[in-house]
Amino acid sequence: MDNLLISATIEYVKEVFATDFSGHDFFHTMRVYQMATKIAMEEKADLQIVQLAALLHDVDDRKLSPETCENKDRAVAYMRSQGLPEGMIVRVKDIIGEVSFAGTDSVVPKTLEGKCVQDADRLDALGAMGIARAFAYGGNHNRVMYDPEIPPALNMGKEEYQNHVSTTVNHFYEKLFLLKDMMNTGCAKRIAGHREQYMKEYIDEFLAEWDGTR
Ligand code: ADP
Ligand code: NI
């Protein structure tokens, strides 16, 4: 039953993300699912809940589906269609509600399972994958890569962060370089350290080439 549910959910998210090119695609969901599984095994969290929440974490994303974001309607409807117990649906819905980065208003998930999913989602915004996703997102939203005249905005709360329009390089300072210290689990902290280092080297190179010093 468990594996059947997971494979059905993979098919469902494949359909949901078939037309997304903003860095929020099906493969992002699959990487989060795989990373969340790895973290959950190390942390001895409830694997079924973690895997389901990881697979469904973006189907009601604010940018993708603003009208269902508040109550996670699509995830809940999907889980109901699979006949899952109400208690399980609520657990998964609560985890999805806590996952997003919201500047200084970001929340620490209440449960170990939530911590695993949040860490896995955030790890996918770091490292080589994070760099690729940031520039893909920037292009998809018609943002300039960099403008030395526009400084990054620091310490933004949820409202400000969500309405903020800036450059892609600024996004590294406004979100990505903050994530390592926000990781919940030991496993994710280790991986985040390596990925952040790689991104910092990349931004150093980018700015040196921009300035003509390399
Ligand atoms: P998630 O919750 O899956 O991390 P987000 O919606 O916050 O998703 O972002 C999706 C991807 O797009 C992430 O890799 C994120 O870093 C990137 N992204 C989000 N906002 C911006 C932005 N303003 N500029 C560049 N990249 C962004
Ligand atoms: Ni995500």
Side-chain angles (χ1 to χ4, degrees), residues 17 23-25 28-29 32 54 57-59 61 99-100 117 120-122 124-125 133 175:
F17 294 111
H24 242 147
D25 52 20
H28 161 67
T29 288
V32 173
H57 86 275
D58 267 341
V59 303
D61 178 79
V99 86
S100 274
V117 176
D121 190 35
R122 290 180 174 173
D124 205 53
R133 291 180 73 213
K175 172 182 174 185

Side-chain angles (χ1 to χ4, degrees), residues 88-126:
M88 188 175 185
I89 294 176
V90 170
R91 279 174 80 190
V92 172
K93 175 181 176 244
D94 286 350
I95 292 174
I96 299 173
E98 292 174 328
V99 86
S100 274
F101 177 82
T104 53
D105 293 318
S106 302
V107 298
V108 176
K110 288 184 285 301
T111 61
L112 176 61
E113 287 70 28
K115 291 182 166 102
C116 297
V117 176
Q118 190 187 68
D119 280 0
D121 190 35
R122 290 180 174 173
L123 281 173
D124 205 53
L126 298 183

Side-chain angles (χ1 to χ4, degrees), residues 14 16 51 64-65 71 77 82 84 87 95 105 107 112 117 125 131 143 164 176 193 195 201 211:
K14 196 182 242 175
V16 170
Q51 290 184 326
L64 188 76
S65 184
N71 297 313
Q82 297 298 303
L84 300 184
I95 292 174
D105 293 318
V107 298
L112 176 61
V117 176
I131 295 168
R143 306 262 170 98
H164 185 66
L176 306 182
R195 292 191 182 189
E201 281 164 26
D211 289 339

